[in-house]
Amino acid sequence: MSPEFEDFFEQIATDHVSEKVDQDQFPEDTDEERALESDPENTDDHFIDETYYDETSDLNQNQDIEQTVEENIENDEAASAAFDRFKSQNEALSYEYKEEKKKVKRESIYLPILKKMWFPLGLSLIVFLISAYFILPVSKIGKFTVSGNVSETSAQIATASGLKTGDTIYSIYKQQATINKKIESQFSRVANAKLIFHFPNRIEVMVTEHKNSVALQQGKVTYLVLDNGYVVKSAAATADQIKNLPLLVDFTDEEAKTFVKAFETLTPSMQNLIKKVTKTPTSATKDFIALQLSDGNQVRVALSQMAVKLPYYPSIAKQIKAPQVVDMEAGIYAKSLSDYQADLSKQASAKSASISKAEAATNSSASSNSTSSSSTSSTVTSSSN
């Protein structure tokens, strides 16, 4: 509050108190008092009584004045307290008004400029930070790590990538597709390689390897076959490596690849049932194979139809009691192992008899042709003579 307002309030309070005290101490003469003073018949006794009355009245008036003064003092204190509150509130409002005015003034000056300039300023800041990053040594490759590799070492993969100390992150980022393919091409077990960048300068190669799919026995050596059909012939497989894998007996590399391609389409539960696979070609089906299962049954199916027909086996297995042979060559039927072996023996005997008969017929035809040729030769000789 300004000093003028403070003086104004103080003057009002002072005048009010002074006026109140004057009225209480010196009240105006009443009509009765003026009449008594003008009456000549007033005796001394009456004057004495009146004087006594006036002294008593003055005493009462003095008490009233004292009470009035005390009330006025209390009122003045209340007014002073109210004035102090008013003053403090006014000062607070005045301060808030000034601060708000300053804030509005600042916003009115800078806000329109910032709204117009935020995009170029932000773009400039980004360009500056990127430029500083590539200029500083922190933009060079700092650390190289490999994850997911089991068969290949981190050092081998680092060498295959062709990266070296001093290469910039930017140059590596531009060539990441080429680097990934380079790593994949040099390792048969690596299915996928992916470069991952970690700020500020760490490079990670995340490797996904092909898993072991089946074991392949060729003669006396057993090799691992990966899930892409690749036969790992760099080293013979160990017993631990092929412990839970299906064993293919005397399959060629190409036949093993065909088997793995179909095998990988089967459900894990069906894959786990297959223990051993042998070739059992027939006259009608040259790629006929026999799969020995862990539940005691045997399934015979064409290698080329394996992915199509084997998924039906779980529903068939619920209806038969092991050990049985499930034949999927022409249709699908099941027989006990003994009956199926008997049928195979009959088929083999019939085939052998047919072969013998064919051979006999061939020999007879050849003998007949030889006799006919001799007779013709003799006739020609006689005619000549």
Side-chain angles (χ1 to χ4, degrees):
M1 182 183 289
S2 62
E4 291 82 0
F5 281 107
E6 293 180 2
D7 295 340
F8 175 72
F9 275 105
E10 290 178 358
Q11 185 64 41
I12 290 175
T14 304
D15 293 344
H16 172 73
V17 173
S18 300
E19 181 180 355
K20 184 66 175 177
V21 172
D22 291 341
Q23 290 177 357
D24 292 340
Q25 289 180 352
F26 307 103
E28 294 181 358
D29 295 337
T30 62
D31 293 339
E32 295 178 357
E33 291 175 349
R34 287 194 295 271
L36 289 173
E37 290 175 357
S38 63
D39 188 359
E41 295 180 356
N42 288 337
T43 60
D44 293 338
D45 294 336
H46 178 75
F47 178 77
I48 294 170
D49 293 339
E50 191 65 27
T51 302
Y52 174 76
Y53 174 77
D54 289 340
E55 291 176 355
T56 304
S57 177
D58 290 340
L59 179 61
N60 293 332
Q61 289 179 359
N62 290 335
Q63 292 176 352
D64 292 339
I65 291 171
E66 291 176 359
Q67 184 177 359
T68 302
V69 171
E70 291 177 355
E71 291 177 354
N72 289 335
I73 291 173
E74 292 178 356
N75 292 335
D76 290 342
E77 291 177 352
S80 177
F83 173 74
D84 290 340
R85 288 196 299 272
F86 174 76
K87 182 179 179 181
S88 62
Q89 291 176 359
N90 185 60
E91 289 177 350
L93 291 174
S94 177
Y95 176 77
E96 291 179 1
Y97 172 75
K98 291 178 181 178
E99 291 299 319
E100 187 68 24
K101 188 175 181 180
K102 291 179 181 178
K103 181 179 179 182
V104 171
K105 186 176 181 181
R106 286 196 300 267
E107 290 181 353
S108 62
I109 294 174
Y110 299 111
L111 190 58
I113 298 175
L114 290 175
K115 285 182 178 180
K116 293 180 180 180
M117 297 295 294
W118 72 268
F119 181 75
L121 287 174
L123 185 61
S124 301
L125 179 61
I126 293 173
V127 172
F128 172 76
L129 292 176
I130 294 174
S131 302
Y133 173 75
F134 285 113
I135 292 172
L136 296 173
V138 75
S139 64
K140 305 290 191 299
I141 182 172
K143 188 176 181 181
F144 184 89
T145 59
V146 182
S147 62
N149 56 313
V150 177
S151 303
E152 316 299 339
T153 66
S154 299
Q156 289 174 324
I157 293 175
T159 303
S161 69
L163 299 178
K164 58 185 181 299
T165 304
D167 290 345
T168 63
I169 300 298
Y170 179 68
S171 64
I172 297 171
Y173 182 81
K174 288 197 305 180
Q175 301 177 7
Q176 59 179 323
T178 303
I179 296 171
N180 292 338
K181 290 180 180 179
K182 188 185 296 185
I183 296 172
E184 294 169 5
S185 64
Q186 294 193 30
F187 302 101
S188 57
R189 286 182 173 273
V190 175
N192 183 51
K194 183 179 180 181
L195 282 180
I196 301 176
F197 298 87
H198 298 278
F199 187 83
N201 58 359
R202 183 168 73 88
I203 303 295
E204 178 187 4
V205 179
M206 184 178 290
V207 173
T208 304
E209 292 188 352
H210 290 290
K211 65 183 182 67
N212 299 330
S213 182
V214 300
L216 173 61
Q217 180 181 329
Q218 291 180 334
K220 294 182 179 181
V221 184
T222 302
Y223 304 104
L224 284 173
V225 184
L226 306 180
D227 59 1
N228 63 342
Y230 180 81
V231 181
V232 183
K233 291 191 172 181
S234 57
T238 64
D240 289 337
Q241 289 176 324
I242 65 174
K243 184 177 181 181
N244 297 316
L245 300 180
L247 179 63
L248 310 183
V249 180
D250 292 331
F251 277 58
T252 65
D253 291 358
E254 192 61 32
E255 289 171 339
K257 185 175 183 178
T258 303
F259 179 89
V260 168
K261 184 178 179 180
F263 178 77
E264 291 298 326
T265 65
L266 303 176
T267 62
S269 58
M270 188 65 211
Q271 290 178 348
N272 293 332
L273 284 174
I274 302 173
K275 296 302 177 185
K276 187 176 180 179
V277 185
T278 55
K279 295 193 294 184
T280 56
T282 64
S283 57
T285 309
K286 300 300 181 182
D287 64 343
F288 208 50
I289 58 175
L291 296 88
Q292 190 64 44
L293 307 182
S294 59
D295 61 3
N297 292 325
Q298 185 183 101
V299 176
R300 297 201 172 200
V301 66
L303 179 60
S304 57
Q305 307 240 326
M306 178 178 156
V308 177
K309 293 187 174 181
L310 269 187
Y312 293 104
Y313 174 76
S315 60
I316 297 170
K318 295 177 181 178
Q319 305 173 24
I320 61 176
K321 187 176 181 180
Q324 293 204 29
V325 176
V326 180
D327 191 300
M328 298 181 175
E329 183 176 12
I332 298 177
Y333 69 93
K335 277 188 177 183
S336 65
L337 184 59
S338 57
D339 291 343
Y340 193 83
Q341 292 293 344
D343 288 345
L344 289 179
S345 297
K346 289 179 181 180
Q347 292 176 7
S349 298
K351 183 177 180 180
S352 179
S354 176
I355 292 174
S356 298
K357 186 176 181 180
E359 289 178 350
T362 302
N363 292 334
S364 176
S365 176
S367 177
S368 175
N369 290 335
S370 177
T371 303
S372 175
S373 177
S374 299
S375 175
T376 302
S377 177
S378 177
T379 302
V380 171
T381 302
S382 297
S383 298
S384 176
N385 292 331

